Each structure stands twice: as structure tokens, then as C-alpha cells.
Amino acid sequence: GGVRTGTVLVEQGRIRSVGSEAPPPGTPVLDAAGGYVLPGLIDSHVHFRTPGLEHKEDWTHGSRAAVAGGVTTVLDMPNTQPPGLDPAALVEKAELIAGTSLVDYRFHLGADPLRPEILADLDPQIATSAKVFMAGHHTAPTVVRQPAQLERIFEAAAAGGVQLVLHAEEEALFELLDQWHGTPPQQYGDYERRRPRSAGIAAVARVLDLVRRYGTRAHILHVSSAEETDLLTAARATGLPVTFELTGHHLSFTDADSTRMGARSRLSPSIRSEADRERLWEALRDGAVATLGSDHAPHTLREKIRPVPEAPPGMPGVQELATAVWTGMRRRWPHENADAAILRLVEHLAHRPAELFALPGKGRLEVGSDADLVVFDPDQTWTLSAHEVHAKCGWSAYEGWTMTGQVRTTVTGGRIAWDVATRRFGEPLGRLLPSANATAGRAR
């Protein structure tokens, strides 16, 4: 809503006041002078790999990376072993995570094409959103290949009031190209040609038709091309309940980086051209995008340096997301007022994801909200090295980047979760969040 000088008072894990009220005598004080105090950021697209893939990532390391990047709430994907395809699997997952996370969390259920009826009667205390994979990759638990299956998922989600989040690429087009080209690509520079924009454009068109027919709420993840951005922006303008996400890596890299960086920048969807990247930045500047997400998808370096056809797509990103986007904004629009820029960052990394995914007490600095706060220094410059990476995989595609802006302190539930000066983390007090139609979660 704006930027102003003031004091945030916290009591029993919640915000008591925002303004000029002085803290009572003896109250511990965190001095944020020279920085912005932001609501805790929300990354609605992470893969923290529990259960079954903890050699790549786990909640101890993933949540450390999150708070080091100012993220205090995450929504985790179902790409696990076993996958999170039914409510019982998500309950078991929550039991495994309990007591290990520095951040609060919810889960996206995996949409099972063989059991779409689950979405029509999904308990909102278990999940309020479901991930649809229209194309597959190394960790995708199930792929919706048949149009009739996708239609049943949209129909069931509409009946159950479930928000669909989609990896929207047409698998059949990839299979067609693979049959035509024959042997898998042996060079990273060929990867984008084998996984082109046409598959994303076709999938988005299919999704928009289903949204129009069923009224299902759909959120398109990791949009990568100018054409997809145009279609989704136009659809939203007509009143369709469709939104989309941009990732830090699609805003940061281009296809030219694929040859230079090799496996580290192999992603799904592919990194596109400079013109595509500029269109994505335009969508961020004009507010067409709903959320920013990291698609934090770590793999070990041993896995990433396999032969090109076998190297899994994905990179870590929850720690880098806010700073990478802030760095890009300040470099592209150097004359923009910093207050206007920080409001844009908070809009898409706090306010809008809290609204879209109905996260109670999140996304705003206001009385009664959870005391999740970030002290952000907008002018600090620093270089990211592997030493600063807290993800379990231990590497980052941004290594060597000179960043503008740094998270100084992250507070979750009124307690310090990360302090850059001491490089110390707090206690793992993160909790599974209730849905917005339940009583707001307990104070901590």
C-alpha cells in the first residue's frame, strides 16, 4: 500500500501495530535503519524433495535457503517419491517435515489423471491447489497426456473449488519432434530447439479453452515466451480466472547462457531468447504477472553433469529469487523510484501469492498478521559464491553475479530466522498452514 517510516511492534508471534507506537520498556528491538521492512516473502513454487529425494534437497537446507532469501512461506510441489497424489500422501509428508522447517508451508496436491474425482471433494485443510503436469521430465510424477483426462481434471477442480497450477506444455508436440529429429541432442545449444515455445503456446491455448468452459481457476507456472505472456494477459483482461507466474531464472538468463552454462541452465520450460526475456520483464513492470516463483528444483552436480540427454532440468533458486529480480529491476530501470520498485517486488512475492493461495495472516504488514518480516538493504552490493549457497546441492547458477540488494534479517513468527551479519539461523518452528476458511493459525 505504500512506503513510510515507522515501527512494527510484535506480540506473541503477530503484528500488534504498524506506525509510530513506541515499544514498551525492555522490549527487544531490531534496528532496520537504512533498510526496508517487508512482509515475509512467499515462494509458491518450490521442490524441497521430501520424501524420497532428500539427496537433492531436504527441508532443513531448503528452508535455510528460503529465509536467507527473505522467504518465510513456501508452497511445495508433489514431485517426490512416493508422489503427493492423494490426501493421505500429503498428511504423511507433513508428518515427515514437522520440526525441520524454518518456514511455514502448504502443499500443492498432484493432479492424478486416473483419479480426477479427488479434486471434487478435496479437504481444504489438506490442500487448496493441485499441480497439473501437461509435459513430463525426470521428476514429474504423472503426466496428463490425453485431452479427455485434462478435461475431467478441470471439471472436478471447478466442482471442488480447487486452484489448478499448471506446467503448460504439450507433451505430444515434444514427442513428435523427438520422432522427427531422432537421436537426443548432444549439445545444450540444441535443447531449446527440441523443447520449443510452440508446445507452451499450444498448451496455454488449450488451458484457456477449458477455463472458459468450466470456470476453473488456473495459474500457469514458469511462463517462458512472449506469445504465452500475450495470450494470458489478454485472457485476464477479458475476465477469465487465469493468472501466471514468472520465475527468477527466465527473467535472468537467455538461450545464449545455455551454451555457456551447460547443465546448470537446463530447465523445463527452456530458457528462451532475449526478446522473450524482455517481454517477461514488461509483464512484471505493468503488473500483468500475478506471482514470482523460484521453481527451486535442486539436483546434485553429479546428476547435472551426466551426458546431455540424461541431465535433469532444474536449478536451485529460492535463496536467489528476490535479490535476482531486484537486481534486474534496478539495472533495467535505474531511474525508477526505489519505493515504487520495492512495492512491485512485494506485490508479486507477498501480497498476490497470499491472496491467490488463500494463505491466512500472510503477505501484508498489518495488525493481526503473522510477524513474518524481512529487513532488506536495497543498495548493498555483493557477489554470490558457492560459500553463500544454503541449498543442499551446494551450487547456484548465479555464482559470480554481483547482486544489488541484500536480505539483512528474516523474522518468522516474531523470531529471528536468519541474520546475515552473524550468518546464524533460528529454530525450525515452521508449521503447516491452515486454509483461509479455518481459524488463523496459532501464535508462536
Side-chain angles (χ1 to χ4, degrees):
V3 177
R4 58 187 169 126
T5 301
T7 299
V8 180
L9 290 188
V10 172
E11 188 172 54
Q12 294 184 330
R14 297 193 181 279
I15 295 176
R16 173 175 133 177
S17 70
V18 180
S20 57
E21 182 182 352
T27 301
V29 174
L30 177 62
D31 185 2
Y36 288 110
V37 178
L38 314 178
L41 305 181
I42 300 166
D43 190 344
S44 53
H45 189 171
V46 304
H47 302 266
F48 279 2
R49 303 301 194 194
T50 298
L53 297 171
E54 290 92 344
H55 70 282
K56 302 174 187 280
E57 183 64 288
D58 57 34
W59 280 77
T60 296
H61 290 85
S63 65
R64 285 181 177 181
V67 294
V71 171
T72 60
T73 300
V74 300
L75 276 74
D76 191 53
M77 292 292 174
N79 312 37
T80 54
Q81 295 178 357
L85 297 179
D86 57 56
L90 296 191
V91 170
E92 291 177 8
K93 180 174 174 175
E95 292 172 350
L96 288 172
I97 292 167
T100 68
S101 179
L102 285 161
V103 298
D104 290 343
Y105 49 91
R106 277 186 73 76
F107 307 133
H108 299 295
L109 181 75
D112 187 345
L114 301 180
R115 297 179 294 169
E117 66 277 2
I118 290 175
L119 302 180
D121 193 32
L122 182 60
D123 182 350
Q125 298 311 308
I126 303 296
T128 59
S129 53
K131 173 73 175 286
V132 179
F133 289 93
M134 296 175 67
H137 51 73
H138 290 62
T139 63
T142 183
V143 179
V144 183
R145 290 183 168 86
Q146 302 301 321
Q149 292 177 331
L150 188 64
E151 187 159 345
R152 286 194 290 271
I153 286 171
F154 269 75
E155 183 178 18
V162 173
Q163 169 82 58
L164 293 182
V165 298
L166 298 103
H167 182 136
E169 293 184 289
E170 286 282 2
E171 178 80 4
L173 296 186
F174 292 154
E175 293 172 351
L176 183 66
L177 289 170
D178 287 344
Q179 292 171 11
W180 178 43
H181 286 300
T183 59
Q186 301 301 314
Q187 302 293 327
Y188 286 106
D190 297 330
Y191 178 67
E192 198 275 341
R193 186 166 61 93
R194 301 288 287 266
R195 295 293 180 264
R197 70 184 62 238
S198 54
I201 297 166
V204 166
R206 185 187 298 274
V207 167
L208 293 180
D209 177 62
L210 291 169
V211 168
R212 189 178 294 110
R213 289 163 56 192
Y214 291 104
T216 317
R217 292 180 296 128
H219 185 59
I220 310 300
L221 302 170
H222 41 46
V223 168
S224 63
S225 73
E227 291 88 346
E228 293 165 83
T229 304
D230 289 345
L231 285 171
L232 291 164
T233 303
R236 184 70 177 174
T238 67
L240 289 179
V242 61
T243 52
F244 68 97
E245 168 200 83
L246 298 179
T247 65
H249 47 256
H250 283 110
L251 290 167
S252 298
F253 302 106
T254 71
D255 54 359
D257 296 307
S258 297
T259 300
R260 177 179 61 84
M261 297 172 60
R264 292 188 182 214
S265 66
R266 181 173 183 168
L267 297 164
S268 180
S270 302
I271 299 291
R272 309 278 179 215
S273 71
E274 177 64 27
D276 291 304
R277 180 170 67 168
E278 290 308 308
R279 179 65 184 95
L280 303 185
W281 278 106
E282 180 184 331
L284 177 60
R285 187 163 195 178
D286 65 23
V289 61
T291 67
L292 294 165
S294 69
D295 191 6
H296 178 82
H299 302 282
T300 66
L301 279 175
R302 183 180 294 274
E303 291 169 324
K304 292 293 278 184
I305 62 173
R306 290 172 181 168
V308 174
E310 301 172 21
M315 66 170 65
V318 65
Q319 180 178 342
E320 300 93 327
L321 175 59
T323 304
V325 173
W326 179 256
T327 298
M329 288 196 296
R330 302 313 286 159
R331 290 177 181 172
R332 275 174 174 74
W333 312 312
H335 303 298
E336 182 177 44
N337 179 273
D339 288 357
I342 203 69
L343 287 172
R344 181 187 300 113
L345 193 74
V346 169
E347 176 73 7
H348 302 298
L349 263 174
H351 177 51
R352 292 288 295 279
E355 280 192 335
L356 186 65
F357 296 106
L359 301 173
K362 305 299 184 183
R364 289 181 178 271
L365 289 184
E366 60 185 17
V367 175
S369 292
D370 289 352
D372 298 343
L373 313 169
V374 180
V375 180
F376 184 73
D377 185 335
D379 301 317
Q380 180 68 39
T381 58
W382 57 288
T383 301
L384 180 66
S385 69
H387 176 67
E388 274 83 35
V389 174
H390 296 290
K392 190 174 185 178
C393 65
W395 63 272
S396 171
Y398 295 88
E399 287 173 39
W401 274 45
T402 299
M403 299 289 197
T404 299
Q406 186 175 49
V407 173
R408 284 173 19 193
T409 309
T410 302
V411 174
T412 59
R415 298 170 180 261
I416 292 178
W418 164 249
D419 179 71
V420 73
T422 62
R423 296 185 59 82
R424 294 180 64 180
F425 294 99
E427 299 177 58
L429 299 175
R431 59 199 167 97
L432 179 66
L433 292 174
S435 70
N437 61 5
T439 302
R442 60 179 173 80
R444 286 168 290 179

